Every structure is written in C-alpha cells, then in structure tokens.
Amino acid sequence: MAETVVQTDHERGAAPAPPPRGRRGRRTVLVASALVVVAAVAVVGALGLGGGGADEGSSAPPRSGSTVPVTRTTLTERTTVDGQLGYGTEIPLPVKATGTVTWLPAEGTTVERGGTLLRVDDRPVVLLYGTLPMYRELGLTAGPQEGTRQETGTEGDTQDSGDQGRTDETSGAPDPSGSPTPGGAGAGGTGGTLRGMDVLQFESDLAALGYTGFTVDEEFTDLTARAVKRWQKSLGLPQTGTVGIGDVVYSAGKVRIGHASVRLGSPATDDVLTYTGTSRKVVVNASAAEDSWAVRGAAVTIGLPDGKSVKGEVASVGKSATAPEEGGGDGGSAAPTVPVTITIKDQKSVGRLESAPVTVEYVGRERADVLTVPVAALVALAEGGHGLETADGRFVAVKTGLFADGRVEVSGSAVREGMNVRIPE
C-alpha cells in the first residue's frame, strides 16, 4: 500500500514515498482513485495512518476499525405499516321478531349458542349457530305427520295414528300444531312432514343444547316437536312445539354485542343490535398499489403498544379500493387503500387490549443463499459503484443487491464466502 503512505505524508507535508514496485503496478490507478473517494468521506483519517508507525515491508499499515467475513445467508426485506386492533366491523343482527323491545344486553357482552340476544314483548330471541337465515316457521304441518303413519303394505291403505287426542306432555293441554308453512307438504314433503336444510340446521342446534330424542336430519317430526317443547319450557315460553320466525337468530358462532340502535320501549327493527365476532383482529388500510404482500394465509408480525409482538395471519383482503378523504391534510396525494383483515390465533398473547393502534410488519422481498456484508463495509469507488476493502488493504468492486436488516447482498468475481473485509470507523 505504498500509495496510502504517499497520500498521508503529503497531507503532513512530508516528502512523497517511492512509487510501488512491479507486481502491484497494475493496481496503482484503482487503489489511488479509491483512496481519493475514501479520503473524501474522512475514512483515511479514521484509519489512523501515521508517518513511520508501520513496520518496513508490511503489506498494509496498521488500521483502526474491524474486519468481518463475507457470509452466505438469506436476506429478508421487512416493511411496517399501521393497523388498528379491534373486533372488526360491526354487523346488524338479522332480528325478525316484531313487537316492543323490553330488554337489551350491555355492549361488549358475549352471547353463545342458546343465549338470549334481546327480549321482544318479553320473549327471548335466542342465538343459534348456522349459516342459513331463519326464513320460515318450523313445526308440524297441518297434514299427517311422518313418524306417526302406519304403513299396511297395501297401496293407498295408510293409517294416520298421528296426534289425535294427544296432549301436551308438560301442561296437559291439547298439543297445538303449527300452521301450514312453505316447504311442508307442498315443497317436497310427504304428508305433513316439514323438510329442508334449515330443519337439519335447527335440529343440530337443539341436540347440541342437550334436547335429544329425535333423529338429526332434514325432517321435522313429532319427536322434534316434543324436544322443542322441552326447550321452550326452559325458556319460559308457551310449549307449542313450533319455532317462530322471530324466535331465533343464526350466526356462524358466538358473538360480541355491539351497540343498540333503539332504546327500551321502542319497536323492534331489523338493525336493533349490531355484533362482531369474539376474536380480536387487526385491520390495515393497505395501499392498493403496494398490497402484493396481502395474500390470504401470509404470516405477519403485530407490534402492540406495550412493545410486545404477536403473530398474525392475513385472513381477507378487500376487493374495492377506497379513495382517501378530501382535506385529510396530505394535499390529496394519498393513494387509494384496501382493507386487509389479520387474525390472531393466540388471543391470550394480546392480553386485555380490546382496541389500540398497532403496527404490522410483513415480508416484502427475500433473497435466499446470497453473499452478504454489513452495509457499513461498503465504500464508494471513484469510477462509480461500490467496493469492499479487504483485510490486506486491497479494494474490490462489487455489485449490490437487496438491502435488509443492516446487511446488503454483494456479488462479483473477486468476492467469495469467508473472505474478510474491513469496516472503516
């Protein structure tokens, strides 16, 4: 490194040292020009070169600063965006009961299967689990009931031992049957048996609540009606064996009550109550132009206000972009956004937080099995581009790739795994 001594002694006013010898002559131009750049950023001064401090004949003078090896690893670029922790968007409960609202639950209450959502005319509206909405009354129709018919084996010779003279098993009163409803005998049913997927859904819930004694299938039979009566008795309702269209509301699972749109004493409406799921989640308004990371099932890291991090997973991505609000203080330059919903599997990891601003960190780009060095090891070369200084004072040009986590991807014919490079101080 004769050139290095020449540069430093010149700054100190000393006579220049002899030029380099033969085998290094071809490197003189590259090294000298690199040193000019290094000097421009005060690297030479930081290296602590002195006049006569080095041993005669050494390949490089003493340096300050450390050396690090070139390593092969996977670089991952991570980006952080803002999000909001909560229970998601509130949805109106599909309440079909008519009458006066006489009781409402407190906001934030969790209601499970069989629980009361509200009371209308002092009758409970009960939550059940299912995907089909309640669209008709469920009960025994006016025709003969399957399950009480007696087949004689002769065509057309069928007796109905049915419900004649049967009384309510809990009150002793005559057993009233439901009025004819769509989907009974006129909708593919045989005789008076009500059939349909909504019957199967209801019977599944009834059995899950412990009211059994019937076959869970698509047929509402006399045995189903008897179980319904026992259920109605537990709710303090008249034991009719018929489920009215406003008696139950279906949801995919337990719900968390949102806000009420009416007060006690008001008429019941379709949107009397709102609800959400009971699991906390995060919603991110992601830039529509930069939402490639938002793929269903993608893993993310959620940063909580207390500094802790929890794992999340992208559950859904909105299909409609929303333009920024006018007068938002950004001069109208904000890009349209799409809502990205992120679920949190380990709900306990969130603690007691119900609502809070959070950060969401996701993986942008990733480069596997590449050579990397700390970003601080890069030096600018006079001829353009970047280079690395080896432990013996040589400079080698490199091509840079992905920058991430304080490291940078490097490549070049003179770069190899394990070689030591200097980090100037």
Side-chain angles (χ1 to χ4, degrees), residues 123-186:
R123 291 172 58 94
V125 177
V126 179
L127 177 70
L128 298 180
Y129 295 170
T131 55
L132 277 174
M134 188 71 172
Y135 66 92
R136 62 176 177 174
E137 184 179 86
L138 300 179
L140 298 173
T141 63
Q145 308 304 318
E146 189 170 314
T148 62
R149 291 185 302 166
Q150 296 179 357
E151 301 289 342
T152 63
T154 304
E155 183 175 353
D157 186 13
T158 303
Q159 290 185 354
D160 182 10
S161 60
D163 298 322
Q164 295 181 3
R166 185 168 55 203
T167 59
D168 185 293
E169 58 188 18
T170 55
S171 65
D175 180 12
S177 59
S179 59
T181 59

Side-chain angles (χ1 to χ4, degrees), residues 135-142 178-189 191-199 218 220 243 245:
Y135 66 92
R136 62 176 177 174
E137 184 179 86
L138 300 179
L140 298 173
T141 63
S179 59
T181 59
T193 300
L194 192 68
R195 287 191 174 91
M197 290 301 296
D198 57 335
V199 175
E218 297 181 19
F220 195 107
V243 185
I245 193 171

Side-chain angles (χ1 to χ4, degrees), residues 45-87:
L47 292 175
L49 301 180
D55 293 338
E56 291 285 333
S58 61
S59 60
R63 304 283 185 138
S64 62
S66 58
T67 60
V68 293
V70 177
T71 59
R72 186 176 297 278
T73 187
T74 296
L75 278 185
T76 302
E77 178 187 66
R78 300 181 183 275
T79 303
T80 299
V81 294
D82 294 330
Q84 180 66 37
L85 176 71
Y87 289 92

Side-chain angles (χ1 to χ4, degrees), residues 250-339:
Y250 287 103
S251 77
K254 58 185 178 180
V255 302
R256 181 180 184 272
I257 300 298
H259 71 277
S261 62
V262 300
R263 296 182 178 181
L264 295 181
S266 300
T269 61
D270 290 344
D271 58 352
V272 59
L273 278 177
T274 62
Y275 76 100
T276 65
T278 57
S279 297
R280 287 159 291 181
K281 59 192 69 174
V282 172
V283 175
V284 173
N285 290 321
S287 169
E290 300 176 359
D291 65 348
S292 58
W293 62 273
V295 179
R296 186 174 182 180
V300 298
T301 301
I302 301 167
L304 301 178
D306 60 2
K308 296 180 180 179
S309 296
V310 299
K311 295 180 179 179
E313 182 178 293
V314 175
S316 64
V317 182
K319 296 182 179 179
S320 299
T322 303
E325 295 182 4
E326 295 182 3
D330 54 9
S333 60
T337 61
V338 293

